Amino acid sequence: MRKITIAIDGFSSTGKSTVAKQLAAFLGYVYVDSGAMYRAVTLYAIQNGLIGSNFFNKEKLIEQLKDINLKFNLNPKTNTAEIHLNEKNVEKDIRTMEVSGFVSQIAQVPEVRRKLVEIQQKMGKNKGVVMDGRDIGTVVFPDAELKIFMTANAKERAKRRFLEFQEQGKDITFESIFENVTHRDYIDTTRSDSPLVKAENAIEIDNTHTNIEDQFNIILQLAKDRIAGRV
Ligand code: CDP
């Protein structure tokens, strides 16, 4: 059966990765979480004293980009690909509020984007990939057969992320999450390099009131139509 490329872009915490993982598992495609790559570069910058609450040594980060090695390795226990930064599994370490607080600043840097986009394009060169992010349908795979643009009400998105943190036993306030989600949206949509915008031919899905199963079925049907060449 012919393989296609599926690009899922959208605002933070819209559930992109949930549906992307479901689609990849169902279709036997590779799932790539491009946000994890920006988060891993951010973790590197924090660990190496390149970014903090009142400083950002952008030039040094650019200089050190060649020392940053990113790889996704399959975790056989969970059957999901987990991100490794310089051979260390950082899948959990990149999901902290500290990383979330700096990631959009790091993702504004064109040199960072160039490096990550190149890796992403290599990962998707044989198609059969579902990738989620902010610029997948516009920059990484402008020729993707299916492009989805996910939106949802900001309060609802912050609530979902808040519940996720609560389930993990993390003590983070709803207000700080709401603030982070809306601030990242602002930076992501207004940056000059590859801002978050809906690709011309993307299908917009507002999932404020849609449950995970219905959303999956809607997007799966869109994918099947394209795989079969009906669209
Ligand atoms: O929190 P959420 O899962 O929504 O975000 P993420 O997908 O983990 O992405 C974290 C951040 O990385 C975003 O807020 C963007 O600043 C940046 N990013 C990007 O610029 N381009 C991408 N393709 C993916 C993420």
Side-chain angles (χ1 to χ4, degrees):
M1 208 188 291
R2 129 185 146 106
K3 289 196 164 181
I4 63 166
T5 301
I6 303 177
I8 304 184
D9 289 304
F11 296 96
S12 46
S13 312
T14 36
K16 300 182 296 293
S17 66
T18 304
V19 73
K21 275 182 206 159
Q22 287 174 313
L23 283 173
F26 188 91
L27 298 170
Y29 282 17
V30 174
Y31 163 60
V32 181
D33 174 358
S34 70
M37 301 169 74
Y38 290 92
R39 287 176 174 273
V41 173
T42 305
L43 182 67
Y44 176 93
I46 294 169
Q47 288 174 340
N48 289 276
L50 304 177
I51 197 163
S53 50
N54 51 6
F55 69 96
F56 177 21
N57 195 338
K58 197 167 36 172
E59 280 64 43
K60 241 212 171 115
L61 175 67
I62 295 169
E63 222 177 274
Q64 293 186 19
L65 277 178
K66 58 179 182 339
D67 304 326
I68 301 179
N69 176 30
L70 300 177
K71 237 192 289 168
F72 287 95
N73 292 334
L74 193 77
N75 178 339
K77 274 193 217 138
T78 56
N79 203 29
T80 53
E82 297 184 339
I83 191 147
H84 288 60
L85 166 64
N86 294 337
E87 310 304 329
K88 184 175 180 279
N89 187 331
V90 292
E91 185 64 35
K92 280 212 175 72
D93 304 341
I94 60 167
R95 313 271 170 207
T96 62
M97 277 303 279
E98 190 187 16
V99 171
S100 296
F102 295 123
V103 65
S104 288
Q105 237 178 304
I106 299 283
Q108 276 181 310
V109 181
E111 288 82 356
V112 171
R113 305 203 68 83
R114 228 174 293 143
K115 176 183 168 103
L116 300 195
V117 168
E118 199 185 309
I119 303 172
Q120 290 153 9
Q121 289 175 334
K122 269 192 198 140
M123 295 177 83
K125 73 175 189 312
N126 297 325
K127 296 190 178 274
V129 67
V130 187
M131 195 175 291
D132 75 326
R134 304 292 187 283
D135 60 342
I136 310 305
T138 50
V139 175
V140 182
F141 300 128
D143 298 328
E145 288 83 355
L146 176 58
K147 298 180 186 178
I148 303 289
F149 189 78
M150 309 249 295
T151 64
N153 168 284
K155 282 242 154 67
E156 178 62 31
R157 290 189 278 127
K159 196 173 99 194
R160 291 176 190 163
R161 189 52 52 99
F162 176 64
L163 292 175
E164 253 172 54
F165 278 126
Q166 271 200 328
E167 272 168 29
Q168 296 162 7
K170 288 187 187 160
D171 186 20
I172 298 164
T173 63
F174 172 82
E175 286 70 28
S176 65
I177 294 173
F178 181 74
E179 208 272 322
N180 174 258
V181 161
T182 48
H183 186 58
R184 276 199 287 136
D185 287 348
Y186 175 74
I187 300 180
D188 293 346
T189 50
T190 55
R191 70 182 174 219
S192 52
D193 188 335
S194 330
L196 168 64
V197 283
K198 178 174 172 264
E200 228 174 83
N201 50 352
I203 296 164
E204 184 165 338
I205 294 188
D206 180 330
N207 65 15
T208 308
H209 306 293
T210 315
N211 70 35
I212 289 175
E213 197 190 337
D214 290 348
Q215 164 178 284
F216 169 61
N217 287 321
I218 293 167
I219 302 177
L220 178 63
Q221 192 54 52
L222 295 171
K224 282 181 174 170
D225 290 343
R226 280 148 187 86
I227 292 167
R230 284 192 287 267
V231 176

